[in-house]
Amino acid sequence: MILYGLEGLLKGESINLEEKDEWIIGRDPDQCNFVIEDSACSRKHGHILKTDEGYLLKNLSETNPIEVNDDAIDSYILKEGDKIKIGNTIFLFTDIEKDEIEEIFEDKEEEIYDEINEKPEEKEIDEEITEETEKEEEKDKTVHRYKDKDKEEETIYEEPVEELPFGLIQDSPYILKVISGPNAGAEFGMEKSRSYVIGKDPNVADIIFTDLSVSKQNSAISIDEDGNIFLEDLKSKNGTYVNNVQIKEKTNLTPQDLISVGTTTFLIVSKEEAQETIYSPAPTFEVLKEEEETLDKEEKKEELSIWKKQFIPTKHLIYAGSFLIIVFVIFLSFFALFKGHDIEIKEKEPVSEIAKIIEKHADIEFSFNPSSANLFIVGHILTYIDKEELMHNLHQLTFIETIEDNVIVDESVVKDFNDTLSDIKEFKSVSLHTPKAGLFVLQGYVDDAVNFENLTDYVNSNFSYLDKLENNVVILKILQTQIATDLIKNNFSGITFEIISGELVLSGRYDKNNASNFKTMLEEFEKTPGIHYVKNLAIPATEMTSRIDLSSRYKITGYASYDGTNFSVLANGKIVNLGDNLDGMLITKITTDTILLEKDDLKYKINYSR
């Protein structure tokens, strides 16, 4: 069985599934058996496992799930002829050899080509195009013909006529027509049961727009067998809009929808449906305007002559004059109200207005070009909510036309990097945090120095912002040695400890007379890198109870005293006195029921009864 690339970056390529029992497919070469260098493909996108029932396909991507026969799946037993979409690539699952598949597609192309050549309508169109081309050539010859007065002979300059590619779109049932932007007027033919990637990179896009505001892989348009058109944004920087509304998921289009990517606007025209005609009013000729002006002047002259012949009584003139005087006085009084001071209109400086919005985001810098009204922003921001608030406030500034967004959301960086760390067993106790925008802190611990070096190499190879990273990871063995040393140095040999996921747990007994030193030591432990919390289960006791009890290891079978104060005892069959060594431990005191010993600042006791 093989996977054969029907569409996308791996068109014509194939995977022989019988070579292995298990396949990991994605764009990460370190984790995958088969690599697809596609930005729409996850690091680990799919998992194919050979089972008794057949080949089991599992989806590993949350952002762009695998589709089998246009349906998203979690797990699926593959069948002959299934079409599998991974990222922007469509594979065919089949038992047919690669060479046979290519021969089948070549035969189908030849059949389609023969059918097109046999259509009489196409021949008529070609004849009309030929006649129109000959007329254009004759017209060009006439325009470029001139007569040399000295030689009295005619010279004809013929410019080369480039053949128009009429065959590119006339057979396609759908046409992508560009309405505005750098490619205004361009048309692209589109077929059913196909997907097209729109972008500015000719290496990865099917439809190329020479528009700097369009991403390399900006959007994807797919048309199914029933003629349903779907549009999907491929995580472009400037987004994809349908009728001025940004889309977040796969959207069904109609031929009346206007699609915008960057500064380019286009629509999808269906040649199978009737299109509405756009009405445009006929032009008005200047001659009509002149005649209208002449008629208006004659009418005004006639009205003026009639007005002059009318007699206006003196009483009416007085009333009219009084009314005009009152209106004039009110007019002056109204403007006198505003004569107190001049109104100063302060024009807002674009740079200062932008700076006010961005000032609370310390790690973001910007550059504004007044001539093009283009704003360039770059830097780090803490969360997606902060990013949306920032962009909303910037879009409220009417003097900005375009925003080139290069801001990194630290929340997303932390999540993605912690996901990769959790997959590596040796680094499961290590995590990345971001206390503020533009600062990343690596915390936790590893078992030994070898794992620490491996972690450092992994971070240097896979983390993109090393200049903003603080590595606070602690080696567990070194931390344990440091804590044990501090306990002995402070005469707390009766205390035992354990470190669990960054939590230090203390247990045992300590001399209550040394309680202040014990509290100080706990405060130092809380400040130690690698310890997040100190849990104290130790109990204060007397000097005697805080000693390490060795009574179970030694059997005292006899004792003797010469002066009533100094004793000799028989421990495990050996007679020992004050100042002697017992298994490397110095005997510092012997009482009637206890032997006190010391070794390397550790204090011990052996209890016995007479």
Side-chain angles (χ1 to χ4, degrees), residues 209-224:
F209 287 161
T210 56
D211 186 343
L212 295 179
S213 59
V214 173
S215 300
K216 292 181 179 180
Q217 287 183 303
N218 198 98
S219 313
I221 295 179
S222 58
I223 306 175
D224 62 16

Side-chain angles (χ1 to χ4, degrees), residues 110-155:
E110 290 178 359
E111 290 176 4
I112 294 171
Y113 179 78
D114 293 339
E115 290 177 3
I116 292 173
N117 290 337
E118 290 176 2
K119 290 183 180 179
E121 296 177 359
E122 299 298 330
K123 293 181 180 180
E124 292 176 3
I125 293 173
D126 292 339
E127 291 176 359
E128 291 176 4
I129 293 172
T130 305
E131 291 176 1
E132 290 178 2
T133 306
E134 291 175 355
K135 290 179 181 179
E136 291 294 329
E137 290 177 354
E138 290 296 328
K139 185 177 179 180
D140 291 339
K141 290 179 181 180
T142 304
V143 171
H144 292 289
R145 182 183 292 117
Y146 73 93
K147 188 174 183 181
D148 192 330
K149 292 182 180 181
D150 297 332
K151 297 182 179 180
E152 295 294 333
E153 63 182 9
E154 293 182 349
T155 306

Side-chain angles (χ1 to χ4, degrees), residues 360-497:
K360 66 178 182 179
H361 305 289
D363 198 70
I364 294 181
E365 299 177 353
F366 73 93
S367 174
F368 180 68
N369 187 343
S371 60
S372 62
N374 178 61
L375 175 64
F376 177 84
I377 54 177
V378 65
H380 289 256
I381 201 165
L382 197 59
T383 65
Y384 281 108
I385 296 176
D386 295 338
K387 174 75 176 293
E388 290 179 1
E389 179 185 356
L390 172 65
M391 298 306 295
H392 172 76
N393 293 335
L394 291 176
H395 283 301
Q396 300 303 310
L397 302 179
T398 56
F399 53 80
I400 298 176
E401 290 188 4
T402 58
I403 299 177
E404 191 171 346
D405 179 11
N406 291 278
V407 175
I408 306 299
V409 180
D410 292 349
E411 180 183 62
S412 175
V413 175
V414 169
K415 181 181 181 303
D416 291 343
F417 194 72
N418 282 336
D419 288 344
T420 60
L421 283 176
S422 63
D423 293 336
I424 304 174
K425 182 179 179 181
E426 293 79 3
F427 306 151
K428 282 190 175 181
S429 298
V430 179
S431 60
L432 184 69
H433 304 277
T434 174
K436 66 177 183 178
L439 176 62
F440 300 98
V441 179
L442 200 62
Q443 295 179 336
Y445 56 88
V446 292
D447 291 337
D448 49 36
V450 175
N451 286 338
F452 184 81
E453 290 181 3
N454 293 337
L455 173 65
T456 303
D457 293 339
Y458 181 82
V459 171
N460 292 339
S461 301
N462 295 275
F463 192 70
S464 303
Y465 312 103
L466 294 175
D467 57 324
K468 299 180 180 295
L469 177 67
E470 291 184 4
N471 189 348
N472 294 336
V473 176
V474 175
I475 300 174
L476 184 60
K477 288 186 178 179
I478 296 177
L479 180 62
Q480 291 172 336
T481 303
Q482 178 183 346
I483 294 172
T485 303
D486 290 342
L487 289 172
I488 294 173
K489 183 174 64 175
N490 290 284
N491 294 321
F492 296 113
S493 56
I495 301 295
T496 59
F497 70 92

Side-chain angles (χ1 to χ4, degrees), residues 126-385:
D126 292 339
E127 291 176 359
E128 291 176 4
I129 293 172
T130 305
E131 291 176 1
E132 290 178 2
T133 306
E134 291 175 355
K135 290 179 181 179
E136 291 294 329
E137 290 177 354
E138 290 296 328
K139 185 177 179 180
D140 291 339
K141 290 179 181 180
T142 304
V143 171
H144 292 289
R145 182 183 292 117
Y146 73 93
K147 188 174 183 181
D148 192 330
K149 292 182 180 181
D150 297 332
K151 297 182 179 180
E152 295 294 333
E153 63 182 9
E154 293 182 349
T155 306
I156 297 175
Y157 288 90
E158 296 185 9
E159 295 182 350
V161 179
E162 183 180 355
E163 287 190 11
L164 298 175
F166 291 100
L168 291 178
I169 62 173
Q170 68 181 16
D171 295 327
S172 302
Y174 295 90
I175 297 174
L176 186 152
K177 185 173 181 64
V178 182
I179 305 301
S180 64
N183 300 95
E187 296 182 353
F188 302 89
M190 305 180 74
E191 302 289 342
K192 291 183 180 180
S193 301
R194 279 203 60 185
S195 296
Y196 300 86
V197 176
I198 297 174
K200 66 181 178 184
D201 190 344
N203 295 321
V204 296
D206 302 307
I207 297 176
I208 314 301
F209 287 161
T210 56
D211 186 343
L212 295 179
S213 59
V214 173
S215 300
K216 292 181 179 180
Q217 287 183 303
N218 198 98
S219 313
I221 295 179
S222 58
I223 306 175
D224 62 16
E225 296 178 355
D226 299 327
N228 297 315
I229 307 172
F230 298 94
L231 176 65
E232 182 180 4
D233 182 72
L234 300 180
K235 298 182 180 179
S236 60
K237 287 186 177 180
N238 294 324
T240 303
Y241 295 79
V242 176
N243 299 324
N244 295 325
V245 178
Q246 187 174 6
I247 64 171
K248 300 294 185 182
E249 56 187 14
K250 198 170 186 179
T251 304
N252 191 359
L253 298 178
T254 65
Q256 288 77 29
D257 290 333
L258 285 177
I259 303 103
S260 300
V261 292
T263 61
T264 299
T265 302
F266 61 90
L267 53 80
I268 308 298
V269 178
S270 174
K271 296 173 67 176
E272 299 174 354
E273 299 179 6
Q275 302 298 320
E276 296 181 359
T277 302
I278 300 174
Y279 171 73
S280 178
T284 304
F285 297 98
E286 294 296 328
V287 177
L288 296 178
K289 290 184 178 180
E290 293 177 359
E291 291 178 358
E292 289 177 358
E293 291 176 359
T294 304
L295 290 174
D296 290 340
K297 289 180 180 179
E298 291 178 355
E299 290 177 358
K300 289 179 180 179
K301 287 181 180 180
E302 185 177 351
E303 291 174 357
L304 183 61
S305 62
I306 295 172
W307 181 80
K308 287 181 178 180
K309 293 177 182 179
Q310 291 180 349
F311 175 74
I312 302 175
T314 305
K315 179 174 66 173
H316 293 172
L317 292 174
I318 293 173
Y319 290 156
S322 301
F323 178 76
L324 290 174
I325 291 172
I326 292 171
V327 171
F328 182 70
V329 171
I330 294 173
F331 180 78
L332 292 177
S333 301
F334 177 77
F335 277 96
L337 296 174
F338 301 95
K339 196 176 180 181
H341 61 277
D342 295 334
I343 299 176
E344 296 181 1
I345 301 176
K346 296 182 178 180
E347 294 185 359
K348 296 180 179 180
E349 291 291 335
V351 174
S352 62
E353 288 298 307
I354 297 172
K356 287 181 182 179
I357 294 175
I358 295 181
E359 64 182 355
K360 66 178 182 179
H361 305 289
D363 198 70
I364 294 181
E365 299 177 353
F366 73 93
S367 174
F368 180 68
N369 187 343
S371 60
S372 62
N374 178 61
L375 175 64
F376 177 84
I377 54 177
V378 65
H380 289 256
I381 201 165
L382 197 59
T383 65
Y384 281 108
I385 296 176

